[in-house]
């Protein structure tokens, strides 16, 4: 989530906007119940004036549902600083933009904070493919053979991967890494090894 606050309440560089007649209620707060949510950013507002200040929040485009806000209003005493949580949950791949309009009570000049986020989906390839068959072919008994698999991230977010079904593997097959995280547009190599002490045929789906 990329949040670009052009200004806090009364801060320099804020864009002045026409005040909405009635700010919409913008969220039920569900997104903000988890403290580990990575798609939440914090905006801080400070009252540097001589009187208590009440701020009302509304999105410029209320039909765009990507962004949400924890509270639709806050009241700050003189010298007090308050925080507002902004969340983003894109439902498709691509860029989403909106603006948060901040209305200060008894002030006809509201502030505008531009918001943007990039919707993406974690994807990766295995040796350049979406699916991969590891075939060791015919091997001599007691001869170890290893094959390298290159995992590459194609997403704008680092995918977290895990190899499932390893409990079905025979003891002759070993994998040196079963899970990990790949940085954006980076690669990771894992090695699959086979070593048999007897003559047999193995086929693991």
């Amino acid at each position: 989530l990329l949040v670009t606050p052009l200004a806090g309440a009364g801060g320099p560089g804020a864009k002045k906007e026409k005040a909405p007649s009635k700010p919409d209620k913008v969220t039920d707060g569900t997104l903000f119940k988890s403290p580990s949510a990575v798609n939440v950013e914090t905006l801080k507002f400070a009252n540097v004036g001589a009187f208590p200040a009440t701020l009302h929040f509304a999105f410029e485009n209320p039909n765009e549902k990507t962004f949400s806000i924890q509270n639709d209003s806050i009241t700050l005493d003189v010298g007090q600083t308050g925080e507002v949580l902004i969340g983003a949950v894109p439902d498709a791949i691509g860029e989403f933009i909106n603006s948060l309009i901040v209305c200060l009570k008894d002030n006809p000049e509201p502030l505008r904070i531009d918001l943007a986020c990039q919707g993406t989906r974690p994807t990766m390839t295995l040796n350049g493919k979406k699916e991969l068959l590891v075939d060791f072919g015919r091997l001599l008994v007691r001869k170890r053979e290893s094959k390298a698999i290159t995992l590459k991230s194609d997403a704008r977010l680092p995918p977290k991967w895990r190899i499932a079904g390893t409990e079905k593997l025979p003891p002759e097959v070993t994998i040196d890494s079963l899970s990990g995280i790949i940085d954006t547009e980076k690669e990771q190599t894992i090695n699959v090894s086979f070593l048999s002490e007897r003559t047999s045929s193995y086929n693991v789906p």
Side-chain angles (χ1 to χ4, degrees), residues 124 126 151 159-167 175 177-182 188 190:
M124 58 188 297
L126 312 173
L151 312 180
K160 185 176 182 179
W161 64 272
R162 179 177 66 88
I163 298 179
T166 54
E167 68 280 355
I175 306 175
S177 183
L178 299 179
S179 62
I181 299 177
I182 305 177
Q188 180 178 346
I190 62 175

Side-chain angles (χ1 to χ4, degrees), residues 36-193:
S36 61
V38 296
N39 53 341
V40 174
E41 292 287 345
T42 302
L43 299 180
K44 292 185 178 181
F45 297 87
N47 182 5
V48 296
F51 303 96
T54 298
L55 306 178
H56 296 276
F57 306 100
F59 290 111
E60 184 178 52
N61 180 5
N63 296 322
E64 208 290 301
K65 302 300 183 182
T66 299
F67 300 96
S68 58
I69 189 169
Q70 185 182 33
N71 300 307
D72 56 11
S73 66
I74 59 172
T75 298
L76 302 176
D77 292 331
V78 176
Q80 184 181 8
T81 298
E83 295 183 349
V84 173
L85 299 182
I86 300 290
V89 183
D91 58 2
I93 296 176
E95 185 179 28
F96 297 84
I97 59 175
N98 206 335
S99 295
L100 181 68
I101 307 301
V102 185
C103 299
L104 181 60
K105 185 179 179 181
D106 298 326
N107 189 328
E109 297 181 346
L111 307 175
R112 167 178 168 161
I113 299 175
D114 290 335
L115 309 172
C117 78
Q118 187 76 32
T120 186
R121 183 177 291 114
T123 58
M124 58 188 297
T125 58
L126 312 173
N127 289 354
K129 303 176 182 179
K130 294 298 182 181
E131 297 182 0
L132 182 66
L133 171 65
V134 180
D135 187 359
F136 288 96
R138 294 178 180 271
L139 295 176
L140 293 174
V141 174
R142 300 185 182 90
K143 175 178 171 56
R144 179 181 296 275
E145 181 76 11
S146 296
K147 291 185 178 293
I149 301 177
T150 299
L151 312 180
K152 183 177 181 180
S153 169
D154 297 326
R156 300 189 62 173
L157 289 176
K160 185 176 182 179
W161 64 272
R162 179 177 66 88
I163 298 179
T166 54
E167 68 280 355
K168 299 179 181 179
L169 293 176
E172 290 81 2
V173 178
T174 57
I175 306 175
D176 64 357
S177 183
L178 299 179
S179 62
I181 299 177
I182 305 177
D183 289 336
T184 304
E185 299 181 352
K186 299 294 183 179
E187 297 180 353
Q188 180 178 346
T189 299
I190 62 175
N191 294 288
V192 183
S193 300

